[in-house]
CSV table of all heavy atoms in Angstrom, one decimal:
chain,number,residue,atom,x,y,z
A,275,GLU,N,93.2,-5.8,-135.6
A,275,GLU,CA,92.0,-6.7,-135.9
A,275,GLU,C,91.9,-7.1,-137.3
A,275,GLU,O,91.2,-8.0,-137.7
A,275,GLU,CB,90.7,-6.0,-135.4
A,275,GLU,CG,90.6,-6.0,-133.9
A,275,GLU,CD,89.2,-5.7,-133.4
A,275,GLU,OE1,88.3,-5.7,-134.3
A,275,GLU,OE2,89.1,-5.5,-132.2
A,276,GLY,N,92.5,-6.4,-138.2
A,276,GLY,CA,92.3,-6.7,-139.6
A,276,GLY,C,93.1,-7.9,-140.1
A,276,GLY,O,93.0,-8.3,-141.2
A,277,GLY,N,93.9,-8.6,-139.2
A,277,GLY,CA,94.6,-9.7,-139.6
A,277,GLY,C,95.9,-9.4,-140.4
A,277,GLY,O,96.5,-10.2,-141.0
A,278,SER,N,96.2,-8.1,-140.4
A,278,SER,CA,97.4,-7.7,-141.1
A,278,SER,C,98.7,-8.1,-140.4
A,278,SER,O,99.7,-8.1,-141.1
A,278,SER,CB,97.4,-6.2,-141.3
A,278,SER,OG,97.4,-5.5,-140.1
A,279,GLY,N,98.7,-8.4,-139.1
A,279,GLY,CA,99.9,-8.8,-138.4
A,279,GLY,C,100.7,-7.7,-137.9
A,279,GLY,O,101.8,-7.9,-137.3
A,280,GLN,N,100.3,-6.5,-138.1
A,280,GLN,CA,101.1,-5.4,-137.5
A,280,GLN,C,100.6,-5.0,-136.1
A,280,GLN,O,99.5,-5.2,-135.8
A,280,GLN,CB,100.9,-4.1,-138.4
A,280,GLN,CG,101.4,-4.3,-139.8
A,280,GLN,CD,101.1,-3.1,-140.7
A,280,GLN,OE1,100.4,-2.2,-140.3
A,280,GLN,NE2,101.6,-3.1,-141.9
A,281,TYR,N,101.6,-4.6,-135.3
A,281,TYR,CA,101.3,-4.3,-133.9
A,281,TYR,C,100.6,-2.9,-133.8
A,281,TYR,O,101.0,-2.0,-134.6
A,281,TYR,CB,102.6,-4.3,-133.1
A,281,TYR,CG,103.2,-5.6,-132.9
A,281,TYR,CD1,104.4,-6.0,-133.5
A,281,TYR,CD2,102.6,-6.6,-132.1
A,281,TYR,CE1,104.9,-7.2,-133.4
A,281,TYR,CE2,103.1,-7.8,-132.0
A,281,TYR,CZ,104.3,-8.1,-132.6
A,281,TYR,OH,104.8,-9.4,-132.5
A,282,VAL,N,99.7,-2.8,-132.9
A,282,VAL,CA,99.1,-1.6,-132.6
A,282,VAL,C,100.0,-0.8,-131.7
A,282,VAL,O,100.4,-1.3,-130.6
A,282,VAL,CB,97.7,-1.7,-132.0
A,282,VAL,CG1,97.1,-0.4,-131.6
A,282,VAL,CG2,96.8,-2.5,-132.9
A,283,ALA,N,100.5,0.3,-132.1
A,283,ALA,CA,101.6,1.1,-131.4
A,283,ALA,C,101.1,1.6,-130.1
A,283,ALA,O,101.9,1.7,-129.1
A,283,ALA,CB,102.0,2.2,-132.3
A,284,SER,N,99.8,1.9,-129.9
A,284,SER,CA,99.4,2.5,-128.7
A,284,SER,C,99.2,1.5,-127.6
A,284,SER,O,99.3,1.8,-126.4
A,284,SER,CB,98.0,3.2,-128.9
A,284,SER,OG,97.0,2.2,-129.3
A,285,GLY,N,99.0,0.2,-127.8
A,285,GLY,CA,98.7,-0.8,-126.8
A,285,GLY,C,99.9,-1.6,-126.3
A,285,GLY,O,100.2,-1.6,-125.2
A,286,TYR,N,100.4,-2.3,-127.3
A,286,TYR,CA,101.5,-3.3,-126.9
A,286,TYR,C,102.7,-2.6,-126.4
A,286,TYR,O,103.3,-3.1,-125.4
A,286,TYR,CB,101.8,-4.1,-128.2
A,286,TYR,CG,102.8,-5.2,-127.9
A,286,TYR,CD1,102.4,-6.3,-127.2
A,286,TYR,CD2,104.1,-5.1,-128.3
A,286,TYR,CE1,103.3,-7.3,-126.9
A,286,TYR,CE2,105.0,-6.1,-128.1
A,286,TYR,CZ,104.6,-7.2,-127.3
A,286,TYR,OH,105.5,-8.2,-127.1
A,287,SER,N,103.2,-1.6,-127.0
A,287,SER,CA,104.5,-1.0,-126.6
A,287,SER,C,104.4,-0.4,-125.2
A,287,SER,O,105.3,-0.4,-124.4
A,287,SER,CB,105.0,0.0,-127.6
A,287,SER,OG,104.1,1.1,-127.7
A,288,VAL,N,103.2,0.2,-124.9
A,288,VAL,CA,103.1,0.8,-123.6
A,288,VAL,C,103.1,-0.2,-122.5
A,288,VAL,O,103.8,-0.1,-121.5
A,288,VAL,CB,101.7,1.6,-123.5
A,288,VAL,CG1,101.4,2.1,-122.1
A,288,VAL,CG2,101.8,2.8,-124.5
A,289,TYR,N,102.4,-1.3,-122.7
A,289,TYR,CA,102.5,-2.4,-121.7
A,289,TYR,C,103.8,-3.1,-121.6
A,289,TYR,O,104.3,-3.4,-120.5
A,289,TYR,CB,101.4,-3.5,-122.1
A,289,TYR,CG,100.0,-3.0,-121.9
A,289,TYR,CD1,99.1,-3.2,-122.8
A,289,TYR,CD2,99.6,-2.4,-120.7
A,289,TYR,CE1,97.7,-2.8,-122.7
A,289,TYR,CE2,98.3,-2.0,-120.5
A,289,TYR,CZ,97.4,-2.2,-121.5
A,289,TYR,OH,96.1,-1.8,-121.3
A,290,GLU,N,104.5,-3.2,-122.7
A,290,GLU,CA,105.8,-3.8,-122.7
A,290,GLU,C,106.8,-2.9,-122.0
A,290,GLU,O,107.6,-3.4,-121.2
A,290,GLU,CB,106.3,-4.0,-124.2
A,290,GLU,CG,107.6,-4.7,-124.3
A,290,GLU,CD,107.5,-6.2,-123.9
A,290,GLU,OE1,106.4,-6.8,-124.0
A,290,GLU,OE2,108.5,-6.7,-123.4
A,291,GLU,N,106.8,-1.6,-122.2
A,291,GLU,CA,107.6,-0.7,-121.4
A,291,GLU,C,107.3,-0.7,-120.0
A,291,GLU,O,108.2,-0.7,-119.1
A,291,GLU,CB,107.5,0.7,-122.0
A,291,GLU,CG,108.1,1.0,-123.3
A,291,GLU,CD,107.9,2.4,-123.9
A,291,GLU,OE1,107.5,3.2,-123.1
A,291,GLU,OE2,108.0,2.6,-125.1
A,292,GLU,N,106.1,-0.8,-119.6
A,292,GLU,CA,105.7,-0.8,-118.2
A,292,GLU,C,106.2,-2.1,-117.6
A,292,GLU,O,106.7,-2.1,-116.5
A,292,GLU,CB,104.2,-0.7,-118.1
A,292,GLU,CG,103.7,-0.6,-116.6
A,292,GLU,CD,102.2,-0.5,-116.5
A,292,GLU,OE1,101.5,-0.4,-117.5
A,292,GLU,OE2,101.7,-0.6,-115.3
A,293,ASN,N,106.0,-3.2,-118.3
A,293,ASN,CA,106.5,-4.5,-117.8
A,293,ASN,C,108.0,-4.5,-117.6
A,293,ASN,O,108.5,-5.0,-116.6
A,293,ASN,CB,106.1,-5.6,-118.7
A,293,ASN,CG,104.7,-6.1,-118.5
A,293,ASN,OD1,104.1,-5.8,-117.5
A,293,ASN,ND2,104.1,-6.7,-119.5
A,294,GLU,N,108.8,-3.9,-118.5
A,294,GLU,CA,110.2,-3.9,-118.4
A,294,GLU,C,110.6,-3.0,-117.2
A,294,GLU,O,111.5,-3.3,-116.5
A,294,GLU,CB,110.8,-3.3,-119.7
A,294,GLU,CG,110.8,-4.4,-120.8
A,294,GLU,CD,111.3,-3.8,-122.1
A,294,GLU,OE1,111.8,-2.6,-122.1
A,294,GLU,OE2,111.3,-4.5,-123.1
A,295,HIS,N,109.9,-1.9,-117.0
A,295,HIS,CA,110.2,-1.0,-115.9
A,295,HIS,C,109.9,-1.7,-114.6
A,295,HIS,O,110.8,-1.7,-113.6
A,295,HIS,CB,109.3,0.3,-116.0
A,295,HIS,CG,109.5,1.2,-114.8
A,295,HIS,ND1,110.7,1.9,-114.6
A,295,HIS,CD2,108.7,1.5,-113.8
A,295,HIS,CE1,110.6,2.6,-113.5
A,295,HIS,NE2,109.3,2.4,-113.0
A,296,LEU,N,108.8,-2.4,-114.5
A,296,LEU,CA,108.5,-3.1,-113.3
A,296,LEU,C,109.5,-4.3,-113.0
A,296,LEU,O,109.8,-4.6,-111.9
A,296,LEU,CB,107.1,-3.7,-113.3
A,296,LEU,CG,106.0,-2.6,-113.2
A,296,LEU,CD1,104.6,-3.2,-113.5
A,296,LEU,CD2,106.0,-1.9,-111.9
A,297,GLN,N,109.9,-4.9,-114.1
A,297,GLN,CA,110.9,-6.0,-114.0
A,297,GLN,C,112.2,-5.5,-113.5
A,297,GLN,O,112.8,-6.2,-112.7
A,297,GLN,CB,111.0,-6.6,-115.4
A,297,GLN,CG,111.9,-7.8,-115.4
A,297,GLN,CD,112.1,-8.4,-116.8
A,297,GLN,OE1,111.7,-7.8,-117.8
A,297,GLN,NE2,112.6,-9.6,-116.9
A,298,GLU,N,112.6,-4.4,-114.0
A,298,GLU,CA,113.9,-3.8,-113.4
A,298,GLU,C,113.8,-3.4,-112.0
A,298,GLU,O,114.7,-3.7,-111.2
A,298,GLU,CB,114.3,-2.5,-114.2
A,298,GLU,CG,114.8,-2.8,-115.6
A,298,GLU,CD,116.0,-3.7,-115.6
A,298,GLU,OE1,116.9,-3.5,-114.8
A,298,GLU,OE2,116.1,-4.6,-116.5
A,299,GLY,N,112.6,-2.9,-111.6
A,299,GLY,CA,112.4,-2.6,-110.1
A,299,GLY,C,112.4,-3.9,-109.3
A,299,GLY,O,113.0,-3.9,-108.2
A,300,LEU,N,111.8,-4.9,-109.8
A,300,LEU,CA,111.8,-6.2,-109.1
A,300,LEU,C,113.2,-6.8,-109.0
A,300,LEU,O,113.6,-7.3,-108.0
A,300,LEU,CB,110.8,-7.1,-109.8
A,300,LEU,CG,110.5,-8.5,-109.1
A,300,LEU,CD1,109.9,-8.2,-107.7
A,300,LEU,CD2,109.6,-9.3,-109.9
A,301,ARG,N,113.9,-6.7,-110.1
A,301,ARG,CA,115.3,-7.2,-110.1
A,301,ARG,C,116.1,-6.5,-109.1
A,301,ARG,O,116.9,-7.1,-108.4
A,301,ARG,CB,115.9,-7.1,-111.5
A,301,ARG,CG,117.3,-7.7,-111.6
A,301,ARG,CD,117.8,-7.6,-113.0
A,301,ARG,NE,117.1,-8.5,-113.9
A,301,ARG,CZ,116.5,-8.2,-115.0
A,301,ARG,NH1,116.6,-6.9,-115.5
A,301,ARG,NH2,115.8,-9.1,-115.7
A,302,ALA,N,116.0,-5.2,-109.0
A,302,ALA,CA,116.8,-4.4,-108.0
A,302,ALA,C,116.4,-4.8,-106.6
A,302,ALA,O,117.3,-5.0,-105.7
A,302,ALA,CB,116.5,-2.9,-108.2
A,303,LYS,N,115.1,-5.1,-106.3
A,303,LYS,CA,114.7,-5.5,-105.0
A,303,LYS,C,115.2,-6.9,-104.6
A,303,LYS,O,115.6,-7.2,-103.5
A,303,LYS,CB,113.1,-5.5,-104.9
A,303,LYS,CG,112.6,-4.1,-104.9
A,303,LYS,CD,111.1,-4.1,-104.8
A,303,LYS,CE,110.5,-2.7,-104.9
A,303,LYS,NZ,109.1,-2.6,-104.8
A,304,VAL,N,115.2,-7.8,-105.6
A,304,VAL,CA,115.7,-9.1,-105.4
A,304,VAL,C,117.2,-9.1,-105.1
A,304,VAL,O,117.7,-9.8,-104.2
A,304,VAL,CB,115.3,-10.1,-106.6
A,304,VAL,CG1,116.1,-11.3,-106.5
A,304,VAL,CG2,113.8,-10.3,-106.7
A,305,THR,N,117.9,-8.3,-105.8
A,305,THR,CA,119.3,-8.1,-105.6
A,305,THR,C,119.6,-7.6,-104.2
A,305,THR,O,120.5,-8.1,-103.5
A,305,THR,CB,120.0,-7.2,-106.7
A,305,THR,OG1,119.7,-7.7,-108.0
A,305,THR,CG2,121.5,-7.1,-106.5
A,306,ALA,N,118.8,-6.6,-103.8
A,306,ALA,CA,119.0,-6.1,-102.4
A,306,ALA,C,118.7,-7.1,-101.4
A,306,ALA,O,119.4,-7.2,-100.4
A,306,ALA,CB,118.1,-4.8,-102.3
A,307,LEU,N,117.6,-7.9,-101.6
A,307,LEU,CA,117.3,-8.9,-100.6
A,307,LEU,C,118.4,-10.0,-100.6
A,307,LEU,O,118.7,-10.5,-99.5
A,307,LEU,CB,115.9,-9.6,-101.0
A,307,LEU,CG,114.7,-8.7,-100.6
A,307,LEU,CD1,113.4,-9.4,-101.1
A,307,LEU,CD2,114.6,-8.6,-99.1
A,308,LYS,N,118.9,-10.4,-101.7
A,308,LYS,CA,120.0,-11.4,-101.8
A,308,LYS,C,121.2,-10.9,-101.0
A,308,LYS,O,121.8,-11.6,-100.2
A,308,LYS,CB,120.4,-11.7,-103.2
A,308,LYS,CG,121.5,-12.7,-103.3
A,308,LYS,CD,121.8,-12.9,-104.8
A,308,LYS,CE,123.0,-13.9,-104.9
A,308,LYS,NZ,123.4,-14.1,-106.3
A,309,SER,N,121.6,-9.6,-101.2
A,309,SER,CA,122.7,-9.1,-100.5
A,309,SER,C,122.5,-9.0,-99.0
A,309,SER,O,123.3,-9.4,-98.2
A,309,SER,CB,123.0,-7.7,-101.0
A,309,SER,OG,124.0,-7.0,-100.3
A,310,LEU,N,121.2,-8.6,-98.6
A,310,LEU,CA,120.9,-8.6,-97.2
A,310,LEU,C,120.9,-10.0,-96.5
A,310,LEU,O,121.4,-10.1,-95.4
A,310,LEU,CB,119.5,-8.0,-97.0
A,310,LEU,CG,119.0,-7.7,-95.6
A,310,LEU,CD1,119.9,-6.8,-94.9
A,310,LEU,CD2,117.6,-7.2,-95.6
């Protein structure tokens, strides 16, 4: 909030890691559906 431009370590990285994890799960499901 200070306008310093630095990322808050507790918020952004947790969401980013969760999104990447969910993205990998979705990618695996799509690959399985394509193969099926």
Side-chain angles (χ1 to χ4, degrees):
E275 288 197 11
S278 64
Q280 295 178 354
Y281 291 110
V282 176
S284 65
Y286 183 74
S287 64
V288 172
Y289 290 130
E290 188 68 27
E291 287 176 20
E292 183 181 355
N293 280 341
E294 287 177 6
H295 177 69
L296 291 173
Q297 185 180 12
E298 288 300 319
L300 186 61
R301 183 175 292 126
K303 289 177 183 179
V304 167
T305 303
L307 284 174
K308 180 181 177 184
S309 173
L310 183 63

